Amino acid sequence: LGDCPICCLPLSLNGKTYTMMACCSQQICRGCGYTNGIREIRESLDQRCPFCRHRMPKTHDEAVKDFMKRVEANDPAAQREFGNRRLSEGDHVSALECWTKAAELGDLVAHFELHCFYRDG
């Protein structure tokens, strides 16, 4: 997974310790997200992404719209995550296509997802 782009600490394999930002597809550790949120509350600022400073979506629909922009822009991390969502919905063909595209764009985790997909049949 790599490191948090803000604090440069390694991200855990446990998906509950980091958040993928819909606006920029960056994986931010919970500590940096928490610290940014506290700063915004103390200074009465609007909520923004800790990495790209894009305004945080107020609704789920806005978050999905931001995420789909990243998918359409061929962001490898967004393609991988989109494949994961497709798989959870039971669409194996679409998941395979998304992971393949992400792997072609250089996403290492997408290679692992493809490995597991082919291994398990």
Side-chain angles (χ1 to χ4, degrees):
L1 290 174
D3 300 336
C4 173
I6 297 172
C7 66
C8 299
L9 291 174
L11 294 172
S12 170
L13 294 177
N14 179 0
K16 295 180 180 178
T17 61
Y18 61 89
T19 303
M20 180 182 216
M21 305 308 292
C23 50
C24 58
S25 298
Q26 291 292 322
Q27 295 171 336
I28 308 295
C29 73
R30 294 279 184 188
C32 289
Y34 177 78
T35 303
N36 185 58
I38 293 297
R39 182 186 61 82
E40 290 169 342
I41 291 169
R42 283 186 184 155
E43 297 176 15
S44 301
L45 301 172
D46 291 335
Q47 288 187 329
R48 296 191 174 273
C49 171
F51 184 75
C52 71
R53 299 294 180 205
H54 184 268
R55 186 183 62 79
M56 296 293 278
K58 296 194 185 304
T59 65
H60 178 69
D61 291 338
E62 286 181 22
V64 169
K65 184 179 174 185
D66 286 346
F67 177 72
M68 292 309 295
K69 283 181 185 177
R70 299 305 309 158
V71 171
E72 291 167 4
N74 288 328
D75 184 306
Q79 288 285 340
R80 174 185 20 96
E81 182 61 29
F82 193 54
N84 292 341
R85 291 179 186 185
R86 289 290 169 237
L87 183 66
S88 68
E89 295 169 359
D91 187 355
H92 298 278
V93 174
S94 181
L96 181 64
E97 290 172 358
C98 291
W99 290 333
T100 302
K101 189 168 194 173
E104 289 171 352
L105 293 169
D107 189 273
L108 187 60
V109 179
H111 281 279
F112 176 73
E113 297 288 356
L114 285 169
H115 155 77
C116 293
F117 190 78
Y118 283 113
R119 180 196 65 200
D120 297 339

